[in-house]
């Protein structure tokens, strides 16, 4: 298996069913997901109950990105020798992933050219979702100093700026007394004449407007033996 994931991961899963609908074993590699961009082999191994009646296995993508799978094998140990079990289309050399269930609305399954392991093809699982901005928040791009007001209770109201000063990494630049004074002047020049408490993320202007005062630290509340493998 190899991957190209954005905020996701690839995983193998194996399930062994027993008689009377009991589950004998299940593992989906949730504790060791695959995020490598290089082809690497992965293995799941476990002892099978004597009353096992079914074996199901596969691979899947979690989140966004792509996962390539190839060369799936199943081996059973008998009398200290490993015997390989024949699987249909285990290397995905057929045009379609015949023998494998690929029903999914969100993900796309297809065989693609890839000679990274055995053969000339591999199974590609890719994210099939799409995102679309249905409606813009504002009809036109707001300018600095624009705001909207909202009544709260008992005649009080709040004024919320539509545009925040910042850079490509964070809202507000590093605290600087001169810059904060300039920002305060711009806000005062563009807000209605009501009592407004101005707060800064990084601190506040001292009472004499001469220097930056670092806020005091305080407590913050929080709402206080068989094995199956493939590449």
């Amino acid at each position: 298996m190899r991957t190209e994931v954005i905020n996701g991961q690839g995983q193998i899963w194996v399930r062994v069913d027993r008689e009377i609908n009991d589950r004998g074993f299940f593992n989906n590699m949730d504790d060791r997901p695959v995020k490598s961009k290089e082809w690497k082999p992965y293995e799941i191994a476990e002892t099978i109950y004597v009353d096992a009646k079914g074996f199901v296995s596969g691979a899947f993508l979690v989140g966004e990105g792509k996962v390539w799978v190839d060369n799936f094998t199943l081996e059973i140990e008998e009398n200290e020798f490993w015997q390989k079990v024949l699987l249909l289309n285990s290397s995905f050399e057929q045009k379609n992933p015949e023998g494998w269930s690929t029903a999914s609305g969100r993900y796309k399954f297809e065989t693609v050219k890839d000679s990274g392991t055995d053969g000339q093809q591999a199974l590609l699982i890719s994210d099939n979702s799409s995102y679309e901005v249905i409606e813009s928040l504002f009809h036109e791009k707001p300018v600095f100093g624009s705001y909207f007001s909202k009544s709260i209770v008992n005649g009080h109201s709040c004024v919320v700026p539509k545009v925040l000063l910042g850079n490509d990494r964070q809202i507000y630049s590093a605290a600087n007394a001169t810059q904060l004074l300039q920002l305060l002047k711009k806000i005062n020049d563009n807000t209605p004449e009501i009592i407004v408490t101005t707060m800064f993320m990084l601190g506040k202007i001292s009472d004499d407007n001469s220097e930056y005062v670092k806020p005091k630290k305080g407590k913050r509340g929080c709402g206080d033996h068989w094995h199956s493998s493939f590449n």
Side-chain angles (χ1 to χ4, degrees), residues 175-177 180 200-206 210-215:
N176 178 282
L180 291 177
F200 299 93
M201 294 180 64
L202 300 178
K204 66 177 183 178
I205 301 296
S206 61
S210 62
E211 61 179 348
Y212 166 74
V213 178
K214 186 176 181 181

Side-chain angles (χ1 to χ4, degrees), residues 77-94:
E77 183 186 27
E78 293 181 344
N79 300 322
E80 300 183 356
F81 291 96
W82 288 99
Q83 304 292 331
K84 184 172 289 188
V85 178
L86 180 63
L87 298 176
L88 177 63
N89 197 20
S90 61
S91 292
F92 307 101
E93 293 303 306
Q94 299 182 23

Side-chain angles (χ1 to χ4, degrees), residues 38-218:
E38 305 296 329
W39 278 109
K40 292 183 180 180
Y42 299 92
E43 178 182 282
I44 296 177
E46 186 57 54
T47 300
I48 296 180
Y49 289 91
V50 293
D51 62 346
K53 67 174 184 178
F55 168 89
V56 188
S57 185
F60 60 95
L61 167 66
V62 177
E64 301 175 359
K66 298 178 180 180
V67 168
W68 287 261
V69 185
D70 199 8
N71 192 25
F72 189 95
T73 63
L74 172 62
E75 297 180 349
I76 298 178
E77 183 186 27
E78 293 181 344
N79 300 322
E80 300 183 356
F81 291 96
W82 288 99
Q83 304 292 331
K84 184 172 289 188
V85 178
L86 180 63
L87 298 176
L88 177 63
N89 197 20
S90 61
S91 292
F92 307 101
E93 293 303 306
Q94 299 182 23
K95 183 177 181 180
N96 297 314
E98 183 179 346
W100 300 86
S101 175
T102 57
S104 174
R106 179 177 177 182
Y107 296 99
K108 181 180 180 181
F109 297 78
E110 58 183 325
T111 52
V112 295
K113 296 292 183 182
D114 195 311
S115 57
T117 59
D118 69 325
Q120 300 298 315
Q121 294 189 153
L123 175 66
L124 171 62
I125 308 173
S126 57
D127 176 32
N128 199 32
S129 62
S130 60
Y131 303 92
E132 179 182 359
V133 177
I134 299 176
E135 183 178 355
S136 177
L137 182 61
F138 301 105
H139 296 296
E140 58 184 18
K141 184 177 180 180
V143 297
F144 183 80
S146 58
Y147 63 90
F148 66 89
S149 61
K150 182 72 175 178
S151 298
I152 309 177
V153 290
N154 298 328
H156 294 282
S157 63
C158 65
V159 176
V160 181
K162 295 181 180 180
V163 181
L164 299 178
L165 181 65
N167 53 35
D168 59 350
R169 298 183 60 186
Q170 61 187 20
I171 298 174
Y172 290 111
S173 56
N176 178 282
T178 302
Q179 291 180 349
L180 291 177
L181 285 172
Q182 293 174 351
L183 174 62
L184 182 60
K185 184 177 184 303
K186 289 183 179 181
I187 293 176
N188 290 334
D189 290 342
N190 291 278
T191 52
E193 295 182 357
I194 60 174
I195 299 177
V196 177
T197 300
T198 304
M199 299 183 65
F200 299 93
M201 294 180 64
L202 300 178
K204 66 177 183 178
I205 301 296
S206 61
D207 295 335
D208 59 2
N209 291 334
S210 62
E211 61 179 348
Y212 166 74
V213 178
K214 186 176 181 181
K216 295 181 180 180
K217 294 182 178 180

Side-chain angles (χ1 to χ4, degrees), residues 1-39:
M1 176 182 284
R2 70 181 181 93
T3 70
E4 286 183 7
V5 292
I6 301 173
N7 58 355
Q9 60 200 33
Q11 294 177 220
I12 305 169
W13 67 277
V14 173
R15 189 188 77 222
V16 176
D17 298 324
R18 302 170 62 187
E19 296 291 346
I20 319 179
N21 296 323
D22 287 336
R23 178 178 293 180
F25 172 73
F26 179 78
N27 187 313
N28 66 358
M29 291 184 61
D30 197 45
D31 59 340
R32 52 188 182 107
V34 180
K35 297 184 179 183
S36 173
K37 293 183 178 181
E38 305 296 329
W39 278 109

